[in-house]
Amino acid sequence: MAEAIVSLVLKQLGSVLSEQASGCIGKQVSLVWDVDEEVEKLTHNLEAIQAVLFDAEQKQIKNAAVRLWLHRLKDVCYDVDDVLDEWNTAILKLRIEGVMIIMLLLRRRRDGGIGKTTLAQFAYNNNEVENKFDKKIWVCVSEPFDEIRIAKAIIQSLKNNTPNVAELEYLLQCIRDSVKTKKFLLILDDVWTENNKKWEPFYNCLKNGLHGSKILITTRKESVARIMKSNDIINVGELSNEENWLLFEKLALSERLPEEYKNLEEIGRKIVRKCKGLPLAVKTIGSLLQFKKSKEQWQHVLDSEMWKFEDTEKGLLTPLMLSYNDLTLMVKRCFVCCSIYPKDYNIDKRTIVDLWMAQGYLRKEKNDENENITGEEYLDYLVTRSLLQKHKSFSDSYMMHDIVHDFAQFLGDKECSSIEVYGDEDSLKNSPRDKRGLPHNITSGDWKISKFEAFGI
């Protein structure tokens, strides 16, 4: 047993030396004076101990002094392993922070800004991070905190299948059994709840994972991170006013003639200042104003009474509402209809166009083919307004930013809904129907059954 522990620690030490030699950790670690010398010294000592361990483990049966020495050795090795685990966590944190420097230099913020989810995705998809874990799990938590859905999402990632049950204790036991032989990385994206009692059952079963497992959360509320007892909190700052202007300029002014640019620049800079350093707000309002040609139209946006309203998203509601109000009636309906999908869902082009068509949201042409073209035009239009995003990996799929999704759900509160039903087909038929006959999504946990499929409409 002692030999196995020493071998594990030596492997950890080798990893630290490799990081030092490759320079992957960066200058920050070099501030720890002589750390490489201490690591090498400890490595040599443990290698010398390892050479006599086999003989010592044989003698401990008859020699109490040797048995005591081995016991103390194991205690020390466990302490060293804990320190090295903290060291590797610090290295991971530095890498993530390094990505934020890099991303600023590459101006990745032009796509909407370096946000919490973007940063978590870089960590999640990093090859070196991936090699350190047996399993990676990504769950969009959102609001409300749905324990059943979250548990099922974790199980799906761990076992590639989801049990068709709605008993939380059963699902938590599945998680507990599945992680006990695995070193995992769990990303909980967009956490809102400050109720520790909802999180505690997950924590109790997840701590059954192998030593070195990590949980990373993203949240808009620092209090949530503290309630969940986060060890390291990285605050993602806002863009500077000049960086926001460059993003806005690219969207709203890049195609303008010099005279037109000069005529609109002053108003544009005032509008950018109203966006409070939030790249999504800048991107949304910039996407709106690229279609506005006159100075009067830009002034109308600047003077809108809506800027005076404070909201929970710190300035995001106004740009979103201004963009939404500029849509035609049918495009508005199509946008709100997208809220029936859960957050982080890949919206299939064919499926959403069929849904719009079934609801009569598309212009009636001579044949279905023309209706499909109209549906694709609506999708492209929503993308140009930054209300939808094209999926980076799948050409026929779309996604909605989580804040935009919240906005769409707010607008569709009385028109669209999502109902998750656990059980067989009979329970789907007995599910509550929307009294207005407008779209809602009824699912059995996999988010694939629309109202029209469930009721044969």
Side-chain angles (χ1 to χ4, degrees):
M1 181 63 181
E3 187 174 14
I5 297 169
V6 171
S7 296
L8 176 63
V9 173
L10 281 170
K11 186 177 180 181
Q12 287 261 56
L13 286 168
S15 175
V16 171
L17 286 173
S18 175
E19 298 282 1
Q20 283 283 91
S22 64
C24 294
I25 304 173
K27 294 182 179 179
Q28 295 94 328
V29 177
S30 66
L31 296 176
V32 185
W33 293 349
D34 301 326
V35 68
D36 51 348
E37 294 180 13
E38 293 298 323
V39 169
E40 286 189 13
K41 187 187 300 183
L42 181 57
T43 301
H44 291 319
N45 289 338
L46 284 173
E47 285 174 345
I49 291 171
Q50 191 179 37
V52 300
L53 267 180
F54 180 78
D55 186 52
E57 289 193 327
Q58 301 298 313
K59 291 180 178 179
Q60 69 170 321
I61 299 173
K62 297 181 180 180
N63 193 321
V66 172
R67 186 161 61 252
L68 178 61
W69 178 78
L70 286 172
H71 179 73
R72 289 176 176 171
L73 173 64
K74 284 189 285 186
D75 284 344
V76 171
C77 285
Y78 278 125
D79 289 341
V80 172
D81 187 52
D82 287 341
V83 171
L84 291 175
D85 193 51
E86 292 180 11
W87 176 273
N88 285 324
T89 300
I91 290 173
L92 177 59
K93 181 183 177 184
L94 287 172
R95 279 210 186 97
I96 293 173
E97 290 173 343
V99 167
M100 294 174 65
I101 294 163
I102 294 170
M103 288 183 68
L104 177 61
L105 291 175
L106 294 177
R107 296 211 175 275
R108 293 296 296 269
R109 292 181 172 183
R110 65 181 182 273
D111 293 328
I114 177 171
K116 303 170 295 298
T117 299
T118 303
L119 184 56
Q121 286 172 340
F122 266 82
Y124 187 80
N125 295 319
N126 182 278
N127 289 333
E128 293 183 58
V129 172
E130 184 169 2
N131 292 335
K132 292 184 181 294
F133 299 98
D134 303 315
K135 281 287 185 179
K136 296 192 306 177
I137 308 158
W138 184 287
V139 180
C140 181
V141 177
S142 190
E143 183 74 4
F145 190 96
D146 185 340
E147 294 97 324
I148 301 295
R149 181 182 63 79
I150 294 168
K152 285 195 169 191
I154 294 173
I155 294 169
Q156 175 64 38
S157 293
L158 289 169
K159 302 179 66 174
N160 295 321
N161 63 72
T162 308
N164 190 26
V165 296
E167 295 294 331
L168 181 60
E169 285 305 318
Y170 176 85
L171 297 173
L172 292 174
Q173 185 60 49
C174 286
I175 295 174
R176 188 178 292 108
D177 294 340
S178 299
V179 301
K180 66 182 178 183
T181 59
K182 294 180 177 65
K183 184 179 178 182
F184 65 86
L185 169 65
L186 170 61
I187 310 288
L188 297 173
D189 186 36
D190 195 28
V191 181
W192 280 88
T193 183
E194 294 179 283
N195 186 348
N196 189 48
K197 291 182 179 179
K198 287 182 175 290
W199 163 242
E200 192 170 352
F202 287 94
Y203 173 78
N204 290 335
C205 68
L206 288 166
K207 69 181 182 182
N208 204 35
L210 290 184
H211 187 65
S213 295
K214 303 293 177 188
I215 300 174
L216 176 74
I217 71 164
T218 72
T219 179
R220 299 174 210 169
K221 303 167 75 174
E222 187 171 330
S223 58
V224 171
R226 299 201 179 281
I227 285 170
M228 296 180 76
K229 300 178 181 178
S230 299
N231 293 324
D232 298 293
I233 298 177
I234 299 175
N235 291 307
V236 181
E238 298 171 348
L239 293 182
S240 70
N241 191 61
E242 190 57 33
E243 287 171 319
N244 266 317
W245 170 252
L246 292 174
L247 174 60
F248 177 88
E249 182 185 49
K250 176 180 171 61
L251 291 167
L253 291 168
S254 61
E255 303 297 325
R256 310 276 180 169
L257 296 172
E259 177 97 18
E260 191 179 8
Y261 181 102
K262 185 177 180 180
N263 190 41
L264 298 172
E265 181 181 5
E266 183 180 353
I267 299 175
R269 288 189 178 274
K270 290 179 180 178
I271 291 173
V272 167
R273 283 195 288 272
K274 287 182 177 287
C275 291
K276 302 180 181 179
L278 299 171
L280 179 60
V282 174
K283 187 176 180 182
T284 303
I285 208 72
S287 299
L288 166 66
L289 289 173
Q290 68 178 307
F291 300 101
K292 306 299 181 184
K293 302 298 182 184
S294 71
K295 186 174 182 178
E296 289 73 23
Q297 289 174 312
W298 281 47
Q299 188 68 44
H300 179 72
V301 170
L302 176 64
D303 295 338
S304 172
E305 291 292 316
M306 294 185 64
W307 293 109
K308 297 179 181 179
F309 297 123
E310 290 295 327
D311 63 282
T312 56
E313 298 306 333
K314 299 180 181 178
L316 280 168
L317 178 61
T318 297
L320 289 171
M321 188 60 81
L322 286 169
S323 185
Y324 171 78
N325 285 341
D326 197 59
L327 303 176
T328 65
L329 175 61
M330 287 303 178
V331 178
K332 285 179 179 178
R333 286 187 160 189
C334 290
F335 168 68
V336 172
C337 185
C338 294
S339 68
I340 66 172
Y341 294 101
K343 288 186 177 180
D344 280 2
Y345 188 85
N346 296 339
I347 303 173
D348 176 69
K349 178 168 67 177
R350 178 70 258 175
T351 303
I352 192 63
V353 170
D354 284 348
L355 181 57
W356 290 344
M357 193 184 304
Q359 287 297 117
Y361 292 167
L362 305 181
R363 295 196 305 269
K364 298 296 183 182
E365 302 289 351
K366 292 182 179 179
N367 51 54
D368 289 344
E369 184 178 353
N370 285 334
E371 285 193 325
N372 289 337
I373 292 173
T374 303
E376 292 182 15
E377 289 173 352
Y378 282 11
L379 283 168
D380 290 340
Y381 190 64
L382 288 171
V383 170
T384 62
R385 294 303 183 100
S386 298
L387 296 173
L388 281 181
Q389 304 169 7
K390 280 211 165 187
H391 198 285
K392 293 181 180 179
S393 302
F394 306 105
S395 59
D396 287 339
S397 292
Y398 298 80
M399 298 189 72
M400 186 178 280
H401 191 284
D402 60 343
I403 296 176
V404 179
H405 187 277
D406 290 341
F407 176 66
Q409 281 193 323
F410 165 76
L411 294 171
D413 181 48
K414 302 299 182 184
E415 299 182 24
C416 302
S417 63
S418 296
I419 305 167
E420 189 162 2
V421 179
Y422 302 99
D424 54 22
E425 294 181 4
D426 290 335
S427 63
L428 286 174
K429 294 176 182 176
N430 295 328
S431 300
R433 303 189 186 196
D434 182 57
K435 62 184 180 182
R436 294 189 179 184
L438 292 172
H440 56 249
N441 202 35
I442 301 176
T443 82
S444 57
D446 58 5
W447 297 98
K448 290 183 180 177
I449 303 175
S450 72
K451 168 186 173 181
F452 311 106
E453 293 169 334
F455 298 126
I457 297 176

